[in-house]
Amino acid sequence: QVQLVESGGGLVQAGGSLRLSCLASGSISKIYAMGWFRQAPGKQRELVARINFDGTTNYLDSVKGRFTISSDNAKSTVYLQMNSLEPDESAVYYCNGATIAHHWGRGTQDAVSS
């Protein structure tokens, strides 16, 4: 099993920045990719950014150039640096770890005020 705990969410003004962290524990050697998803009220959960075991990354088109996903393997932590945030990016942000199953954190609420 893999356990994921997010932190770093909060309230920020439009144009501001937030940095999310996701601490992984348990069977982390089985993880081949880590990702950040978000879900706004009334909307489907969507993949925002993903980092694969080989270090390659993928981003939602609308966040390219503003968001950066990174990992610190020594700390078993994945980060999401979010810059130039927009009000419609207010959502619960979830950390995801992929093994033969998908593991989820409980999420962290981010609110961007206009």
Side-chain angles (χ1 to χ4, degrees):
Q1 273 287 12
V2 174
Q3 294 79 42
L4 303 171
V5 179
E6 303 98 336
S7 61
L11 174 64
V12 66
Q13 288 188 330
S17 299
L18 284 173
R19 188 193 194 206
L20 306 183
S21 300
C22 174
L23 175 63
S25 60
S27 301
I28 57 176
S29 63
K30 298 181 179 180
I31 298 174
Y32 63 84
M34 295 283 293
W36 287 96
F37 288 70
R38 67 188 179 193
Q39 187 167 19
K43 295 187 177 181
Q44 288 189 329
R45 191 174 297 190
E46 62 180 357
L47 175 64
V48 176
R50 168 182 165 128
I51 185 164
N52 301 302
F53 77 96
D54 59 358
T56 57
T57 57
N58 306 95
Y59 293 94
L60 182 68
D61 282 347
S62 63
V63 308
K64 288 180 180 178
R66 298 187 296 120
F67 290 15
T68 303
I69 188 170
S70 61
S71 65
D72 184 335
N73 293 334
K75 295 182 178 179
S76 301
T77 301
V78 173
Y79 304 97
L80 183 66
Q81 177 67 42
M82 305 186 291
N83 298 328
S84 302
L85 282 160
E86 302 167 356
D88 63 1
E89 293 179 310
S90 298
V92 178
Y93 284 72
Y94 295 92
C95 181
N96 171 274
T99 60
I100 59 171
H102 283 278
H103 307 271
W104 297 93
R106 292 187 176 183
T108 179
Q109 176 72 57
D110 296 338
V112 184
S113 64
S114 57

